[in-house]
Amino acid sequence: MAASEERGTAAERDNRQAIVLAAASEIVRNGVRGLRVEEVAAAAGVSPALLYYHFESRAGVVRAALEHASEQAPSTALRSAPAGGTGYEALEAALLGELSDDEDVRQAAIVWGEVSASAVFDPELRGAVRKVTEEWRAEVADAIRAGIADGSVREGVEPDTAADILISLVDGLLTRWLAGALDRDDAHRLLRRALERSIRRGD
Amino acid sequence: MAASEERGTAAERDNRQAIVLAAASEIVRNGVRGLRVEEVAAAAGVSPALLYYHFESRAGVVRAALEHASEQAPSTALRSAPAGGTGYEALEAALLGELSDDEDVRQAAIVWGEVSASAVFDPELRGAVRKVTEEWRAEVADAIRAGIADGSVREGVEPDTAADILISLVDGLLTRWLAGALDRDDAHRLLRRALERSIRRGD
């Protein structure tokens, strides 16, 4: 939570949250390029002036929606101590969970993919995409380290490199799945296979 | 080449090609969502009526730009017999080549990524995304089969599954690279490592 947010009143935090949720919904419906600040403000029940007070710019609203989507992602479960099971199992469950028909997860994935795709055209979004991607990679790398420690991941696997490859693979599978070019079950099968081949300790 | 295209006169083919190139340029500049049929027609030096004569709809123009980008992609080199070297080397060169600073390749990658991202919101684009993705996978799978035959790829690798994983990984690396969240050299390093671990025959 940012310092500026901590200082806000409860009403300010509610407004901020309502704006972020409205922005995410708008991105899921129409994409980043279809997002209009006035419509987001109206959907959140606030004035455009209040929206600009909280976020300064349209890009600031989009970045906040990306951070929200990132916090909603199943991989954040890796931040807390796993409830039993190995490091490998926790990682497999988290990454498979990113490709989920659960509506909240699917919407977060659409926001993530759409903001990443928009960053190609909008340099103002690139820092935020880089930041959430690096957080995701660090979570996955830590899970791989836990797996090496508990013997479920092969020794010799480089956690940062393996994490970078795995999150790129999940990103690519997500795009194909959301674009209707890959079934979810096939995406799961491919991801399971890649995990087995790349990091799972042999039986 | 489609039958309808083969039947056209040279002038018709020239017009069609000019429209496709103009559409691709427009997508590189402003994305699919910023593409206006009137501007594409003007840039191609044709009337909007002629554009609709060739492509029937705005989505038809976007699909043609995607097919053009797909034909420009370095992986199409896999269709012709390799000029020496192993199947593994040909595949590595082709996939690394997708992540290239060469301006034509980069622009084709932007079109590919952008049309895929737009297909999340536009069902009319999904069939085309699925088609070019399946063609890409088939080319990669054939290269893997060639590598198994010449001993450069491990026996036991399933060509179709491995190809599906590899093209999804390249797609994810492309998105991160184009979004400014990954350097090209890092993307190459990760792809080389993934290829070594997943399919290269051990020394």
Side-chain angles (χ1 to χ4, degrees):
Chain A
M1 192 178 284
S4 60
E5 204 178 331
E6 284 171 30
R7 281 199 304 273
T9 65
E12 280 183 344
R13 287 195 298 275
D14 287 351
N15 281 334
R16 196 183 188 286
Q17 179 73 353
I19 293 165
V20 171
L21 293 176
S25 293
E26 193 61 21
I27 292 170
V28 168
R29 243 197 320 272
N30 293 317
V32 168
R33 273 65 72 93
L35 182 138
R36 292 173 186 226
V37 161
E38 294 77 8
E39 288 175 9
V40 171
V46 304
S47 66
L50 192 65
L51 182 149
Y52 281 108
Y53 164 77
H54 281 291
F55 295 100
E56 291 187 354
S57 67
R58 181 179 174 283
V61 177
V62 174
R63 288 193 294 261
L66 174 65
E67 281 164 19
H68 175 74
S70 172
E71 286 158 13
Q72 298 296 108
S75 294
T76 56
L78 296 171
R79 287 180 204 167
S80 47
T86 65
Y88 182 87
E89 286 163 353
L91 180 60
E92 184 184 51
L95 295 184
L96 290 173
E98 302 283 350
L99 294 141
S100 164
D101 289 325
D102 176 276
E103 199 49 33
D104 286 346
V105 175
R106 199 169 170 279
Q107 292 192 359
I110 291 174
V111 172
W112 174 286
E114 174 63 2
V115 179
S116 298
S118 301
V120 176
F121 301 93
D122 187 348
E124 283 192 283
L125 300 177
R126 291 183 192 164
V129 170
R130 185 182 274 271
K131 178 172 169 284
V132 298
T133 304
E134 286 178 359
E135 286 167 0
W136 188 21
R137 186 195 39 192
E139 287 158 11
V140 170
D142 283 346
I144 292 172
R145 283 186 194 96
I148 293 173
D150 70 23
S152 59
V153 170
R154 275 203 298 276
E155 288 181 24
V157 167
E158 297 163 33
D160 290 318
T161 298
D164 246 337
I165 292 170
L166 285 170
I167 67 169
S168 300
L169 173 62
V170 173
D171 248 357
L173 292 171
L174 271 173
T175 305
R176 287 178 66 190
W177 171 55
L178 293 173
L182 185 68
D183 296 335
R184 203 209 52 167
D185 288 349
D186 282 333
H188 275 202
R189 181 179 58 78
L190 295 171
L191 182 52
R192 274 207 187 84
R193 177 60 58 93
L195 281 162
E196 289 164 9
R197 290 277 168 127
S198 62
I199 68 165
R200 192 173 72 172
R201 187 168 183 177
D203 300 315
Chain B
M1 192 179 284
S4 60
E5 201 180 332
E6 285 172 30
R7 281 201 304 273
T9 65
E12 281 183 345
R13 286 196 299 274
D14 286 351
N15 281 333
R16 195 181 189 285
Q17 179 74 353
I19 294 166
V20 171
L21 292 176
S25 293
E26 193 62 21
I27 292 170
V28 169
R29 242 197 321 273
N30 294 316
V32 168
R33 275 64 72 92
L35 182 137
R36 292 173 187 224
V37 161
E38 293 77 8
E39 288 174 11
V40 171
V46 304
S47 67
L50 192 64
L51 183 149
Y52 281 108
Y53 164 76
H54 281 290
F55 295 101
E56 291 187 356
S57 69
R58 181 179 174 283
V61 177
V62 174
R63 288 194 294 262
L66 174 65
E67 281 163 19
H68 176 73
S70 171
E71 286 158 13
Q72 297 297 108
S75 293
T76 55
L78 295 171
R79 286 180 204 166
S80 46
T86 65
Y88 182 87
E89 286 164 352
L91 180 60
E92 184 184 52
L95 295 184
L96 290 173
E98 302 283 350
L99 294 141
S100 164
D101 288 326
D102 177 276
E103 200 48 35
D104 286 345
V105 174
R106 199 168 170 280
Q107 293 193 357
I110 291 174
V111 171
W112 174 285
E114 174 64 3
V115 178
S116 298
S118 301
V120 176
F121 301 92
D122 186 349
E124 284 192 282
L125 300 177
R126 290 182 193 163
V129 171
R130 185 182 274 271
K131 177 172 169 283
V132 297
T133 304
E134 288 179 357
E135 287 168 358
W136 188 20
R137 187 196 37 192
E139 286 157 13
V140 170
D142 283 346
I144 293 172
R145 282 187 195 96
I148 294 172
D150 69 23
S152 59
V153 170
R154 275 202 299 276
E155 287 182 26
V157 168
E158 297 163 34
D160 290 318
T161 298
D164 245 338
I165 291 171
L166 285 170
I167 67 169
S168 299
L169 173 61
V170 172
D171 247 356
L173 292 171
L174 271 173
T175 304
R176 289 178 65 192
W177 171 56
L178 293 173
L182 187 67
D183 296 333
R184 201 209 53 168
D185 288 349
D186 282 333
H188 275 203
R189 181 180 57 80
L190 295 170
L191 182 52
R192 273 206 188 85
R193 177 61 57 92
L195 281 162
E196 288 164 10
R197 290 277 169 128
S198 63
I199 68 165
R200 193 173 68 173
R201 186 167 184 177
D203 300 317

